[in-house]
Amino acid sequence: KPGEQKRAKEPSSVQCMHLAVVACGDRLEETLIMLKSAVLFSNRRLCFHIFAEDSLKPEFEKKLKEWPSSYTKKFDHNIYPITFSVGNAQEWKKLFKPCAAQRLFLPVILKDVDSLLYVDTDVLFLRPIDDIWRTLKEFNSTQLAAMAPEHEIPKIGWYSRFARHPYYGTTGVNSGVMLMNLTRIRSTQFKNSMIPSGLTWEEMLYPLYQKYKNYITWGDQDLLNIIFSFNPECLYVFPCQWNYRPDHCMYGSNCKGAEEEGVSILHGNRGVYHDDKQPTFKALYEVIRDFPFEDNLFQSLYYPLQSKFLETVHTLCGRIPQVFLKQIEKTMKKVYENRVIVYLGANHRY
C-alpha cells in the first residue's frame, strides 16, 4: 500500500540451516549417506557446505545431481577446496585424520554465515536438523558453540585418564557434532595460555597447536578442548543423545537421554559402519544407504531396520533397539502427518 514500508526479504542463506562437513580420502560414500539422512527428515531448507579434496568434487556433484528433484529442491550446496588460513597447510592436513583440522577454520572461511552445524562424515541424523538448530536460541550471552561430552563417566573417560593437556570439564567434549555461532566466534577475544590478553580465533589456532602438538592425540578435537578449557563460559553442552557413539552402549547403556528420548544423532566413529564390531550401528547405516528416496519410509526403512536389529541382539548395543528406533519412528510419523495434512488441504472442497 502507498506509504507502507516494504519489509526486506531475508536472504536464503539466513532462512536455511547451514550444515558443514569435511571429506577426504575414502569418505565420499559416508558423507553422501550423512547428507541423505539430513534431507530425509529435516523440515526447513538446508545449505550444505562440503569441504573436499579436489579429486572428490566432481563425484559429489555427480552423485547429488542423481537424487530426485523432490529432495534436491530442499537444499543448496557449495563445495570448497581444503584450505588453512594460518600456519603450515601440510601440518594441519596431517593432524589426526586427513583434513579434519579444516573444521577449525570454518569461522574464517565462511564469513557470510552466521551459524552452522558441523558434523563428521560418520554421523547420521535420526530426527530433523531443525531440532538441534533450535539449540542456538538457548545459548546465553557468552556461549558461542555447543558440543556433547566425550564420556558420561569420568573414571573411565579417555581425557580424565590419559590427557596431558587442558580439556573441558571433567570428561572433555567430542567435536564430531558441533553447533557454532560463527558471528560470535569471529568477534570474541579468547583467553589462552600464551599471552595475558585475549586473542581472536584465527590468531590463536596456530600458536596453540605449536605449544601443545607433542601432547595431543585426537588432533583438532584436542585443540577445541584446550580452547574451551580456558573459555568454559563460551560452551553450551548438549546431552549425549545428540552425539551417540558406540561407547554409550558397548559396555552397557550409559546415555540416559537416549534411554528416555531415543538417539537423535548417531555417530559411528572408529569405522563401525564398515566392520562387524557394532552391527547395530552398521545396520542403521546400511538401511539409510539402501533406502530408495521415493519409497515409503515405514516399508523401506523402518521395517528393514527392525529386521536387521533382530540379528544384533547378541551385542550389548543390540539389546536396546528402542534407543535407536524411538526418534526415527517419531520423526517418520510426523513426516506422514504433515503429508496427509498437506494432501487433505490441497484436495479439500468447500
Side-chain angles (χ1 to χ4, degrees):
K1 291 178 184 177
E4 273 191 353
Q5 278 191 321
K6 275 190 178 179
R7 182 181 290 179
K9 192 178 177 184
E10 272 191 309
S12 60
S13 63
V14 175
Q15 293 171 338
C16 73
M17 300 176 293
H18 294 268
L19 178 67
V21 64
V22 179
C24 285
D26 59 356
R27 298 300 179 115
L28 175 76
E29 183 193 74
E30 244 184 30
T31 307
L32 288 165
I33 307 309
M34 179 276 290
L35 297 174
K36 183 179 183 181
S37 73
V39 172
L40 278 177
F41 299 128
S42 291
N43 302 314
R44 274 176 63 190
R45 187 170 187 77
L46 293 159
C47 286
F48 295 149
H49 301 274
I50 303 164
F51 290 81
E53 288 175 307
D54 294 342
S55 59
L56 293 180
K57 182 175 180 178
E59 280 297 303
F60 272 115
E61 294 287 8
K62 179 187 166 197
K63 295 289 186 185
L64 291 172
K65 279 178 185 168
E66 289 171 2
W67 289 7
S69 60
S70 56
Y71 285 92
T72 56
K73 69 183 184 185
K74 291 174 69 176
F75 67 88
D76 295 317
H77 74 278
N78 284 302
I79 302 175
Y80 309 82
I82 303 294
T83 53
F84 304 99
S85 61
V86 293
N88 184 311
Q90 285 309 309
E91 260 188 306
W92 284 122
K93 196 167 183 181
K94 291 174 185 172
L95 183 63
F96 191 46
K97 289 181 182 172
C99 309
Q102 181 71 78
R103 88 183 86 182
L104 298 172
F105 295 88
L106 298 179
V108 181
I109 298 166
L110 301 174
K111 292 185 189 301
D112 296 328
V113 176
D114 174 65
S115 295
L116 177 86
L117 178 64
Y118 164 86
V119 294
D120 284 348
T121 60
D122 53 8
V123 154
L124 291 170
F125 294 95
L126 306 187
R127 67 190 285 183
I129 290 182
D130 310 57
D131 297 337
I132 192 170
W133 193 258
R134 279 192 281 273
T135 304
L136 288 162
K137 293 181 180 175
E138 296 176 24
F139 283 11
N140 66 24
S141 59
T142 61
Q143 288 165 338
L144 45 76
M147 288 186 275
E150 172 65 20
H151 214 286
E152 301 306 300
I153 306 163
K155 66 180 179 182
I156 58 173
W158 192 92
Y159 283 108
S160 44
R161 289 186 297 160
F162 304 118
R164 295 191 294 151
H165 58 74
Y167 57 90
Y168 178 88
T170 54
T171 60
V173 281
N174 183 282
S175 60
V177 179
M178 186 176 179
L179 189 63
M180 293 181 271
N181 183 320
L182 299 183
T183 303
R184 286 189 179 181
I185 290 174
R186 285 187 287 263
S187 62
T188 298
Q189 293 282 318
F190 291 88
K191 297 189 287 292
N192 59 86
S193 59
M194 296 167 291
I195 62 170
S197 60
L199 290 169
T200 67
W201 185 265
E202 190 175 17
E203 288 170 340
M204 175 175 56
L205 289 178
Y206 195 61
L208 204 63
Y209 166 66
Q210 287 295 317
K211 179 170 181 177
Y212 291 104
K213 67 179 179 181
N214 295 326
Y215 304 100
I216 59 180
T217 304
W218 308 113
D220 49 303
Q221 177 173 293
D222 288 349
L223 282 177
L224 289 164
N225 267 282
I226 293 164
I227 290 168
F228 290 111
S229 75
F230 293 111
N231 301 272
E233 72 287 354
C234 293
L235 192 66
Y236 177 105
V237 179
F238 48 61
C240 47
Q241 66 264 31
W242 290 104
N243 186 346
Y244 191 90
R245 285 156 277 129
D247 282 355
H248 289 119
C249 57
M250 62 193 282
Y251 309 114
S253 183
N254 62 31
C255 175
K256 286 191 172 62
E259 289 169 20
E260 292 165 8
E261 293 182 24
V263 175
S264 297
I265 295 179
L266 192 77
H267 184 180
N269 61 347
R270 301 193 193 131
V272 294
Y273 297 147
H274 313 291
D275 60 31
D276 297 316
K277 291 177 183 173
Q278 295 300 331
T280 317
F281 282 73
K282 188 179 182 181
L284 261 158
Y285 178 80
E286 290 179 347
V287 167
I288 292 174
R289 179 194 67 194
D290 298 339
F291 171 72
F293 273 103
E294 305 283 21
D295 271 21
N296 179 295
L297 279 164
F298 274 104
Q299 196 175 324
S300 301
L301 195 147
Y302 187 71
Y303 296 138
L305 202 49
Q306 284 184 312
S307 300
K308 275 182 176 272
F309 278 1
L310 290 174
E311 300 166 14
T312 73
V313 292
H314 61 286
T315 67
L316 284 170
C317 294
R319 288 178 196 171
I320 49 170
Q322 71 284 357
V323 164
F324 297 91
L325 291 169
K326 194 177 285 187
Q327 273 301 333
I328 208 166
E329 182 182 5
K330 190 175 166 185
T331 299
M332 283 192 284
K333 281 181 177 171
K334 276 187 183 173
V335 167
Y336 275 104
E337 282 168 12
N338 290 341
R339 282 183 188 169
V340 168
I341 291 164
V342 169
Y343 177 79
L344 289 175
N347 292 278
H348 192 71
R349 303 278 182 196
Y350 287 96

